[in-house]
Amino acid sequence: MPYDRPDTLPAALAILAREPRVVLAGGTDLYPATEAATLPGPILDIGALAGLDGIASTPEGLRIGALTPWSAIRDAALPPALDALRQAAAEVGGVQIQNAGTIGGNLCNASPAADGVPPLLALDAEVELVSAAGTRRLPLSRFLIGPRRTARRSDELLAAILVPAAAILGRSVFLKLGARRYLAIEITR
Ligand SMILES: Cc1cc2nc3c(=O)[nH]c(=O)nc-3n(C[C@H](O)[C@H](O)[C@H](O)COP(=O)(O)OP(=O)(O)OC[C@H]3O[C@@H](n4cnc5c(N)ncnc54)[C@H](O)[C@@H]3O)c2cc1C
C-alpha cells in the first residue's frame, strides 16, 4: 500500500494530482475511525509539510495554517475576538489530542460535533484550498456541506484558515455543552 510523507507542498500536491489519497495529518480522527490495524487506502502523510502550521498576522487578517495543532492555538496570544477559538482548542480532547490534532483535520473531518467549527463560523472564516491546478478560497460555511462532507476535491489540500480583519474587532466566548466535564463530545442539535 503506498505511503508517502513529502516535506514540500508541491510534492504533496503532485501526488494528489496523480491519484486520490487518504490525507493523514494528526491522525486523531482517522485512527479511531478505523477498526483495522492499519489505515485503509493509499496514504498521503502531510505531517512533515513545511509552511502549513502557525498563526500569522496579514494585511487581510489572520492566517492559521491547517497543520496548526490545537495546543498552539490554545496557547497563542490572539485578539479577544478569537477567545472562543482558543477556549474551543482547550476543550478538544485532552492535552495529547491537542498536541497531535490539527485545526485543518477538524474542519476536513466535518463532524457535526467539531469544536473548531462554531468559533470559525462566527468569525466569517474562509478556507484556502490548494492543488496542483491552483488555489481557491471558500467561506467555511460553503466548505462544510453536510455531516462528514466538505467541498474539498480529492486533489486538494486545506492549506489555511483565514480570519478577515473586520471579524477580529469583536469579542467571543465558547461554551461547550457535553455529557461530562472532560473528554466530552459536544452535544449537537
Ligand atoms: C480521544 C479523542 C477526543 C477528541 N475530542 C474532540 C473534541 O473534544 N472536539 C473535537 O472537535 N474533536 C475531538 N476529537 C477529534 C480530533 O481530535 C479533532 O477533530 C482533530 O482536530 C483532528 O485533526 P487531525 O489532524 O488529527 O486529523 P486527521 O485524523 O489526520 O484527519 C481528519 C480528516 O481530515 C482530513 N485532513 C486532515 N488534514 C487535512 C488537510 N490539511 N487537507 C485535507 N484533508 C485533511 C483527513 O483526510 C481526514 O479525513 C477527539 C479525538 C479523540 C481521539
Side-chain angles (χ1 to χ4, degrees):
M1 167 124 22
Y3 169 91
D4 288 286
R5 185 176 163 89
D7 52 14
T8 69
L9 189 56
L13 297 178
I15 292 168
L16 284 184
R18 281 200 305 273
E19 60 167 358
R21 291 285 182 107
V22 175
V23 176
L24 172 65
T28 61
D29 273 314
L30 278 179
Y31 281 111
T34 179
E35 295 182 359
T38 56
L39 288 177
I43 308 292
L44 177 65
D45 183 344
I46 60 170
L49 290 188
L52 253 63
D53 70 341
I55 305 171
S57 203
T58 75
E60 288 184 81
L62 278 177
R63 178 185 178 88
I64 307 174
L67 285 179
T68 308
W70 286 114
S71 53
I73 294 170
R74 180 198 65 205
D75 297 342
L78 295 171
L82 280 88
D83 280 354
L85 186 65
R86 290 185 57 241
Q87 290 156 0
E91 298 265 4
V92 175
V95 170
Q96 297 93 333
I97 297 297
Q98 291 161 21
N99 285 337
T102 65
I103 189 168
N106 193 249
L107 300 186
C108 291
N109 191 54
S111 162
D115 283 324
V117 170
L120 290 171
L121 285 177
L123 289 166
D124 290 331
E126 292 186 326
V127 294
E128 183 180 283
L129 296 159
V130 290
S131 71
T135 300
R136 65 180 177 130
R137 285 185 181 185
L138 279 181
L140 178 60
S141 57
R142 284 182 44 217
F143 176 68
L144 300 168
I145 55 177
R148 309 266 177 206
R149 293 177 57 224
T150 73
R152 182 180 81 85
R153 297 192 316 256
S154 62
D155 66 336
E156 289 178 317
L157 286 176
L158 173 60
I161 296 97
L162 310 159
V163 178
I168 296 175
L169 301 174
R171 307 186 69 83
S172 67
V173 67
F174 178 83
L175 300 173
K176 182 162 171 171
L177 185 57
R180 55 180 189 264
R181 178 66 190 87
Y182 296 105
L183 280 177
I185 293 293
E186 168 184 301
I187 293 172
T188 55
R189 39 175 310 213

